[in-house]
Amino acid sequence: MRETFETQIQHILDAAPQIIAAVAALVVFVIIGKFLSSGAGKILNSQRSKAVKQTRLIKRLIKWAFNLIGLIIALNLVGLTDVAYSFLAAGGMMAVILGFAFREIGENLLAGFFLSFSRSFDVGDLIESNDIRGIVQRIEIREVHIRTPNGCDIFIPSATIYKNPLFNYTRDGLRRGEFT
């Protein structure tokens, strides 16, 4: 039993440089991810004052991407390349499964992501889409909050606005009234 324990200790000591290099690589990528995400947040905050949620989303995506890259490199440095590849494969399979399971939610999230960057309308604009007309109160990732002239609050899924024609009555400041 003592020989087995000493053998295990010797294996750990032999692998110590690889383990230290893996931990160092992981720490470096985590720090780079934090630095780049805060830099991207500063750049985006200086360009747009209203896009707080989009800035937060981009910062998280940058941070997660660098953490994942650091983890995969650390696993490769330790010699666990099969674990790293299976980790990537499991992530890919999970994305496909979740994509089918939450298709409508994913569709709304993706449409909201595109709407937040397309700038076809903004908060305070009078818009009409799918026979719903009102003033935009908030633009979220999953939905757009509109208040109608009679005071009704309507939450339209982002995919509905993205798929259907959108009429923006206040974009250029010109509007012609109609009457009978």
Side-chain angles (χ1 to χ4, degrees):
M1 174 121 163
R2 183 178 175 128
E3 291 176 10
T4 308
F5 181 70
E6 290 175 358
T7 306
Q8 292 296 328
I9 295 291
Q10 189 59 38
H11 285 303
I12 292 172
L13 291 176
D14 291 342
Q18 295 168 332
I19 294 171
I20 291 171
V23 170
L26 182 61
V27 168
V28 165
F29 273 92
V30 167
I31 290 171
I32 290 172
K34 284 183 180 181
F35 178 72
L36 289 179
S37 69
S38 67
K42 288 178 184 176
I43 290 171
L44 291 174
N45 282 335
S46 67
Q47 292 177 354
R48 296 182 269 206
S49 60
K50 296 179 183 177
V52 174
K53 289 192 177 193
Q54 291 87 353
T55 302
R56 207 175 324 150
L57 174 70
I58 291 172
K59 285 173 62 174
R60 284 183 185 161
L61 287 175
I62 291 171
K63 203 181 297 186
W64 289 348
F66 274 91
N67 290 349
L68 182 63
I69 290 169
L71 179 64
I72 291 170
I73 289 174
L75 288 173
N76 282 329
L77 286 174
V78 173
L80 300 173
T81 55
D82 292 339
V83 174
Y85 293 143
S86 63
F87 184 65
L88 286 175
M93 288 300 295
M94 186 63 82
V96 170
I97 291 169
L98 290 176
F100 281 119
F102 300 109
R103 185 185 66 80
E104 288 185 22
I105 294 172
E107 183 179 28
N108 281 328
L109 290 173
L110 196 57
F113 184 74
F114 290 139
L115 281 176
S116 65
F117 289 107
S118 70
R119 294 295 191 205
S120 53
F121 62 94
D122 208 353
V123 174
D125 284 353
L126 176 63
I127 66 168
E128 181 179 349
S129 179
N130 209 24
D131 293 330
I132 299 171
R133 182 185 294 192
I135 296 175
V136 177
Q137 302 297 312
R138 276 192 339 262
I139 303 171
E140 301 288 333
I141 292 294
R142 288 192 52 220
E143 76 230 358
V144 176
H145 176 197
I146 295 176
R147 181 165 290 141
T148 61
N150 63 356
C152 183
D153 290 320
I154 301 175
F155 298 90
I156 304 174
S158 296
T160 303
I161 290 181
Y162 193 72
K163 288 179 184 177
N164 295 315
L166 175 76
F167 301 96
N168 189 339
Y169 294 106
T170 56
R171 183 163 182 103
D172 59 2
L174 302 174
R175 187 163 177 216
R176 183 177 70 188
E178 296 178 9
F179 63 91
T180 304

